[in-house]
């Protein structure tokens, strides 16, 4: 089957809506399966508490633990999350014997290590108007279809009230990269979205890029590990969150491109005589220049650490 036809077939079979998965049906299907919700959070005191509270209120029979990874916050994120009922871990205190790294992917990887659920749901901590259906929608395919190992959210992402204008880095960078190099993944509507869920046994077998390339890296690595048909997406409706500046999005885009480059090299699809540069020169409105290091680190699969410890 040619790629376009395969993607269309996958989209038809593996795309659902949050409304398709009722909490009662999921609770019945859960059985002995344990569920962890992990929220990476940096300076999110205004939103993280409500997210935790909604999950605890609505999904007490479904979610076994809520882990908030405090990623070096300078505000009251940790205190607010703990008061709402989450287990709070500090990023640098998880697997503290390893050299500390930075970035969103680092917080996600540490959250995976600090949690224990058979199924792990990742939710960004900056979401406004958060409904518990964000969690039930992502869990639905995993609990009711043993052939699904990873579920990605799709949703409307308005920008300042304008539909279809959010996700600028997705449209300008990630979607072109996926269509060029990994067209099997082109059916994912929100490849960079921060809400997704997977079986722990799968997540522990892939590396995590430490910066903003983590979502693209996971898609590419999981495609290679489990194949497209073991991946699904669920429409969660509308996602409302704070938007970053154009300059910040430029730095994010650079990290995503570096993450893609790493995967292309690892898969033997490109050969480079020199490593890509990892600094980005940008200009403000006064034409003042500032250079930022956009290097992307990587944490190894967690399962490999367990093997090393066993050998040691």
């Amino acid at each position: 089957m040619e790629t376009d036809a395969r993607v269309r077939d996958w989209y038809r079979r593996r795309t659902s809506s949050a409304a398709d998965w009722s909490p009662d049906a999921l609770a019945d299907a859960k059985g002995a399966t344990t569920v962890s919700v992990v929220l990476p959070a940096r300076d999110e005191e205004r939103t993280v508490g409500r997210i935790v509270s909604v999950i605890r209120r609505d999904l007490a029979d479904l979610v076994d633990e809520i882990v908030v990874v405090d990623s070096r916050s300078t505000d009251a994120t940790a205190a607010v999350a703990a008061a709402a009922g989450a287990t709070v871990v500090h990023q640098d205190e998880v697997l503290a014997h390893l050299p500390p790294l930075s970035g969103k992917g680092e917080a996600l990887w540490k959250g995976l290590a600090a949690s224990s659920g058979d199924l792990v749901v990742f939710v960004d901590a900056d979401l406004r108007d958060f409904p518990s259906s964000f969690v039930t929608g992502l869990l639905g395919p995993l609990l009711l279809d043993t052939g699904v190992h990873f579920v990605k959210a799709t949703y409307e992402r308005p920008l300042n009230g304008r539909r279809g204008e959010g996700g600028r880095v997705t449209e300008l960078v990630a979607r072109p990269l996926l269509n060029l190099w990994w067209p099997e993944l082109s059916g994912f509507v929100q490849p960079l979205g921060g809400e997704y869920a997977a079986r722990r046994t799968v997540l522990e077998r892939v590396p995590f890029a430490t910066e903003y390339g983590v979502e693209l890296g996971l898609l590419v690595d999981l495609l290679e590990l489990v194949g497209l048909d073991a991946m699904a997406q669920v429409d969660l409706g509308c996602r409302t969150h704070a938007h970053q500046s154009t300059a910040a999005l430029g730095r994010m885009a650079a990290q995503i491109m570096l993450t893609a480059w790493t995967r292309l090299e690892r898969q033997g699809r490109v050969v480079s005589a020199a490593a890509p540069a990892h600094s980005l020169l940008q200009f403000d409105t006064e034409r003042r220049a500032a250079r930022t290091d956009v290097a992307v680190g990587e944490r190894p699969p967690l399962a490999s650490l367990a093997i090393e410890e066993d050998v040691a």
Side-chain angles (χ1 to χ4, degrees):
M1 185 183 298
E2 65 178 36
T3 301
D4 283 351
R6 185 182 179 207
V7 170
R8 287 194 298 271
D9 178 68
W10 171 85
Y11 186 95
R12 177 182 56 79
R13 292 182 299 101
R14 288 302 197 200
T15 301
S16 60
S17 168
D20 297 332
W21 314 101
S22 75
D24 290 342
L26 298 184
D28 289 342
K30 181 176 183 290
T33 303
T34 53
V35 174
S36 299
V37 177
V38 174
L39 292 88
R42 182 171 186 174
D43 297 334
E44 301 295 355
E45 65 179 6
R46 291 177 296 176
T47 51
V48 67
R50 185 180 184 280
I51 296 172
V52 172
S53 296
V54 168
I55 296 171
R56 282 174 51 83
R57 181 194 69 204
D58 295 351
L59 304 177
D61 294 335
L62 191 60
V63 173
D64 297 282
E65 67 174 351
I66 306 170
V67 177
V68 171
V69 183
D70 181 23
S71 184
R72 304 171 188 165
S73 296
T74 58
D75 67 2
T77 290
V80 170
T87 298
V88 177
V89 298
H90 297 278
Q91 178 176 300
D92 295 333
E93 295 177 2
V94 179
L95 301 177
H97 62 287
L98 299 175
L101 297 176
S102 63
K104 181 183 180 182
E106 171 78 345
L108 293 172
W109 189 76
K110 291 294 185 68
L112 179 63
S115 62
S116 60
D118 302 317
L119 304 181
V120 182
V121 182
F122 292 114
V123 175
D124 279 351
D126 65 343
L127 300 184
R128 305 168 184 168
D129 303 320
F130 174 82
S132 57
S133 58
F134 269 40
V135 175
T136 56
L138 292 170
L139 286 173
L142 293 168
L143 285 171
L144 294 173
D145 188 338
T146 58
V148 174
H149 295 284
F150 174 81
V151 182
K152 185 83 172 178
T154 179
Y155 26 57
E156 173 63 42
R157 298 179 67 184
L159 176 64
N160 300 324
R162 302 192 306 273
R163 291 173 56 88
E165 295 298 321
R168 290 164 287 173
V169 177
T170 291
E171 299 305 325
L172 297 174
V173 180
R175 199 176 309 286
L177 280 171
L178 292 176
N179 276 268
L180 285 169
W181 294 104
W182 298 281
E184 303 97 320
L185 296 172
S186 61
F188 281 95
V189 181
Q190 295 289 352
L192 301 185
E195 286 67 51
Y196 40 96
R199 304 187 189 279
R200 173 173 296 275
T201 52
V202 169
L203 289 173
E204 291 187 345
R205 293 171 61 194
V206 292
F208 277 57
T210 58
E211 302 290 344
Y212 280 112
V214 60
E215 275 85 20
L216 184 137
L218 285 173
L219 279 179
V220 172
D221 293 339
L222 287 168
L223 175 67
E224 188 173 32
L225 178 65
V226 301
L228 182 63
D229 200 52
M231 306 167 79
Q233 65 182 344
V234 175
D235 189 344
L236 302 184
C238 184
R239 183 185 196 269
T240 307
H241 63 105
H243 292 278
Q244 300 195 50
S245 67
T246 299
L249 294 179
R251 296 187 288 273
M252 183 187 301
Q255 291 174 337
I256 290 166
M257 293 174 72
L258 286 170
T259 302
W261 185 266
T262 300
R263 270 71 189 159
L264 289 169
E265 285 193 312
R266 188 173 296 158
Q267 294 178 356
R269 305 179 75 171
V270 298
V271 178
S272 176
H278 53 80
S279 65
L280 179 65
L281 187 65
Q282 295 176 297
F283 298 88
D284 65 15
T285 55
E286 303 300 322
R287 301 298 187 268
R288 291 173 298 202
R291 187 176 293 277
T292 304
D293 185 354
V294 292
V296 176
E298 188 170 275
R299 288 299 194 184
L302 271 175
S304 69
L305 295 186
I307 292 172
E308 290 174 5
E309 291 174 359
D310 290 342
V311 172

